[in-house]
Amino acid sequence: QVQLVESGGGLVQPGGSLRLSCATSGFTLDYYAVGWFRQAPGKEREGVSCISSDGSIHYADSVKGRFTISRDNSENTVYLQMNSLKPEDTAVYYCATDLVPHCGGEYELWGQGTQVTVSS
């Protein structure tokens, strides 16, 4: 059974940092792309970042230079390091996969999400 479980969210002040984790199971992470998405209240879900099986990385313009995605295949985990956080980064963050090697799939498999709140 494929599972993705996010953790690491919380309340942080503007300018602070958080590291989100996406623990995966039920498939071999090495072969597949995983993406991070977020959804703020009243807004549509948006893509944040994605890492493909070959290590290719994509970022939304809004997070470039502040967020870093990485993967540890031995731990079956994908990370999202978020620095210089802004109030507009407040959202529920999700990881997802479509069990394909490249980014840009349909992302049919999702975690339950983790809340990130950036506020003073």
Side-chain angles (χ1 to χ4, degrees):
Q1 181 181 2
V2 172
Q3 282 193 312
L4 299 96
V5 179
E6 303 93 336
S7 62
L11 173 63
V12 63
Q13 292 186 342
S17 298
L18 283 174
R19 187 176 80 156
L20 305 184
S21 299
C22 173
T24 70
S25 61
F27 63 99
T28 303
L29 180 61
D30 308 47
Y31 302 131
Y32 302 112
V34 172
W36 281 99
F37 297 79
R38 66 186 181 186
Q39 188 165 22
K43 294 188 176 181
E44 292 188 356
R45 186 172 60 202
E46 63 171 338
V48 174
S49 183
C50 179
I51 185 166
S52 65
S53 62
D54 66 0
S56 299
I57 288 173
H58 305 269
Y59 294 106
D61 288 344
S62 58
V63 307
K64 279 181 182 175
R66 300 188 298 123
F67 290 12
T68 303
I69 192 172
S70 62
R71 60 195 295 156
D72 184 338
N73 292 335
S74 67
E75 295 291 331
N76 295 315
T77 301
V78 177
Y79 301 98
L80 186 68
Q81 178 67 43
M82 307 188 296
N83 299 329
S84 303
L85 283 162
K86 305 175 182 180
E88 51 264 44
D89 294 318
T90 295
V92 178
Y93 284 71
Y94 302 88
C95 59
T97 186
D98 197 34
L99 295 183
V100 295
H102 51 81
C103 295
E106 294 297 322
Y107 296 105
E108 295 186 349
L109 301 167
W110 293 81
Q112 83 291 347
T114 185
Q115 176 70 47
V116 171
T117 302
V118 185
S119 174
S120 55

